[in-house]
Amino acid sequence: MPVLSEVLTALDALWPPERAEGWDAVGTVCGDPDAEVRRVLFAVDPVQEIVDEAVQLGADLLVTHHPLYLRGTTTVAASTFKGKVVHTLIKHDIALHVAHTNADTADPGVSDALAGALDLRILGPLVPDPSDPEGRRGLGRICELPHPMTLAEFASYAAARLPATAQGVRAAGDPEREIRTVAVSGGSGDSLFGDVRAAGADAFLTADLRHHPASEATQHSGDSPLALLDAAHWATEWPWCEQAAAQLDAVSDRHGWGLRTHVSRTVTDPWTAHAASTPVFTPTHTTGAPR
């Protein structure tokens, strides 16, 4: 069996830490480099439910997409929820490793997995990595749908193919608009509207769309307004866990390690319920109308 340091070398080759954004916190959070690794669990969030799952599974390594301490800390006291995560991991000899923005821009990366979950044909990166001479790495992906759909149809299609969450998939734009090309970006993507417009995509599927940027994006596109699809953050990134596990399986097979990889199906999206709007009146915008 490999030791942790050997597995971490393989993970760093898949998602080099130097390709992470400067503000990010990637790499190994805890773990003994000389400890043997037999089971690896992949998940989006390093929260207590996932750590408890790793303990139950008998995992030696937990790999998550999101960092545990993105902004640093001055304590790992077990009285804090993140400190309890650290204590649980160390108590049960489980290492924690994070691949975040270095996995977002990888080839394949988070958005490749998202496109794969939607059965889209990838044309190239939305924001190419200038350091990649082959032009395959970068943030987001430009894709073609398997066949043209209306925006309403594509929203339903995406909701059916992505992991189920309370939010589902919201759409902005004419429901009858035909969609042929779509930009996708796992996780928060409303900083990429300019890149999506420049790419000429009909629609943009991402997560965490805020009111003002979304409103401006739909108004900005003139005669051909950009259609938006807003899915749950967790749902757009979970497909990467399956992709990442398969990548580590391939490494294990090459080296004869015999690792057993697992993907958590625990939903750690923070939103747990959704109530559809049922208005008792229709708002009007007539000047001087009584309120």
Side-chain angles (χ1 to χ4, degrees):
M1 302 302 298
V3 296
L4 178 62
S5 60
E6 293 175 301
V7 179
L8 295 180
T9 297
L11 297 182
D12 284 345
L14 292 172
W15 312 296
E18 62 270 17
R19 292 187 187 146
E21 296 290 337
W23 51 263
D24 206 359
V26 302
T28 307
V29 178
C30 63
D32 179 355
D34 297 321
E36 284 192 348
V37 177
R38 297 176 178 82
R39 290 180 183 267
V40 184
L41 178 64
F42 286 83
V44 175
D45 297 301
V47 293
Q48 191 65 43
E49 295 96 322
I50 296 299
V51 172
D52 291 342
E53 183 179 345
V55 172
Q56 222 172 17
L57 181 66
D60 306 295
L61 170 62
L62 171 62
V63 179
T64 64
H65 182 51
H66 289 154
L68 178 63
Y69 288 109
L70 184 57
R71 294 176 176 83
T73 187
T74 59
T75 178
V76 291
S79 55
T80 64
F81 72 94
K82 291 190 177 186
K84 184 179 178 183
V85 164
V86 174
H87 277 255
T88 305
L89 289 168
I90 293 175
K91 181 178 179 180
H92 293 276
D93 296 320
I94 302 172
L96 173 61
H97 186 82
V98 173
H100 192 210
T101 53
N102 49 330
D104 286 336
T105 59
D107 171 34
V110 171
S111 293
D112 292 290
L114 174 56
L118 298 171
D119 196 26
L120 304 177
R121 186 169 78 88
I122 297 172
L123 303 178
L126 173 62
V127 185
D129 181 345
S131 69
D132 177 18
E134 297 183 6
R136 296 176 59 89
R137 291 198 309 267
L139 191 61
R141 296 293 184 267
I142 298 292
C143 309
E144 285 184 345
L145 273 64
H147 56 83
M149 302 181 198
T150 66
L151 175 58
E153 288 170 339
F154 183 45
S156 296
Y157 172 87
R161 295 188 69 97
L162 292 177
T165 60
Q167 173 181 320
V169 176
R170 302 186 297 177
D174 179 359
E176 297 305 313
R177 178 181 176 178
E178 185 177 81
I179 305 299
R180 293 175 177 267
T181 59
V182 58
V184 300
S185 183
S188 304
D190 63 16
S191 65
L192 301 175
F193 287 140
D195 300 288
V196 175
R197 284 194 296 270
D202 298 322
F204 182 31
L205 188 151
T206 187
D208 297 342
L209 293 183
R210 296 168 294 163
H211 175 90
H212 293 295
S215 177
E216 291 170 3
T218 57
Q219 297 295 316
H220 192 282
S221 304
D223 294 334
S224 182
L226 178 65
L228 302 177
L229 296 103
D230 182 28
H233 190 121
W234 175 86
T236 64
E237 294 182 329
W238 183 85
W240 172 80
C241 296
E242 290 195 320
Q243 176 180 276
Q247 288 178 271
L248 183 57
D249 281 339
V251 173
S252 175
D253 289 345
R254 286 200 302 271
H255 291 286
W257 286 345
L259 288 178
R260 300 189 65 179
T261 62
H262 306 262
V263 175
S264 174
R265 294 184 176 272
T266 301
V267 178
T268 55
D269 187 77
W271 304 107
T272 57
H274 171 76
S277 299
T278 53
V280 295
F281 69 96
T282 303
T284 64
H285 299 283
T286 305
T287 302
R291 291 186 296 172

